[in-house]
Amino acid sequence: MNANPGQPQLSIVLPALNESASLAQLIPALQQRFPQAEILVVDDGSSDRTLEVCDAAICRVVRNPYRMGNGAAVKRGMRAARAETVVLMDADGQHTPAQVAQLLERYASGDYDMVVGARAASRQASLFRMTGNHLLNRLASWMTNQRVADLTSGLRVVKAERFREFLHLLPNGFSYPTTITMAFFRSGYPVSYVPVDVQPRIGRSHIRPLRDGARFLLIVFKIGSLYSPLKLFLPMSLLLFMIGTGLYAYTYMVAGRFTNMSALLLTTSLLTFLIGMVSEQITNLMFARRERQ
């Protein structure tokens, strides 16, 4: 029960860019399924009838004066949401109110800080997207030591207080799910996945696979270096050490000498390991200080 009677128990945040066709169906369906929820559309500088659709549906709108990106829309929505439990949901019609109810049921059944709708691999838009998402999921799982079923899903239920801790880390583009997922796992906040069946989107996707795929990969490494530095630096150090040792063995057998390149590789291996150790200590101090606050 809310301490503040005027505060909604649930906020549903819909970042939208030219999604008037899907919003015309989605908003009434959400209002019918969750009549007490706050429906909040973040219009990311749309040029279609998005505002008219929202006005007709009588829901809250936060409007960006120009296109700022999906992540920026999510951040503005999270700042404006009034409930302690927030649903983040793409506005393109791929997810349904019934799926939101599934996630909320899982969220209420355990002490979770985030519940994510995990899309089946067979429902990905293309083979390229399916392969890329699979590789990202495996990489993120390795870096967090937790199973990441869907790193880039746009459907999730979150505890607002926990989510807002990481707003400063979130990029303004499409990579916000990647960042928030890895941040939650590294911070020890419980995360659960619920399998969902994705519906065909209404309208054209705003994601560009090559450009945004490279950004997703970069985000994984950036967050990994922030939260698990040794997961990055130690393998690189070992690789350099093995190459340097192998080169030294080869040149010693062939020429009977220790080359400058072998020395450079072995020295770089040691420096990479030491940088990883220092970074790990800085990360531990950062988390220790945050826990004391």
Side-chain angles (χ1 to χ4, degrees), residues 35-51:
Q36 304 302 320
E38 171 191 45
I39 309 295
L40 175 59
V41 176
V42 184
D43 178 16
D44 192 28
S46 298
S47 57
D48 63 354
R49 298 180 57 255
T50 293
L51 286 178

Side-chain angles (χ1 to χ4, degrees), residues 11 24 45 100 228:
S11 293
V100 174
S228 302

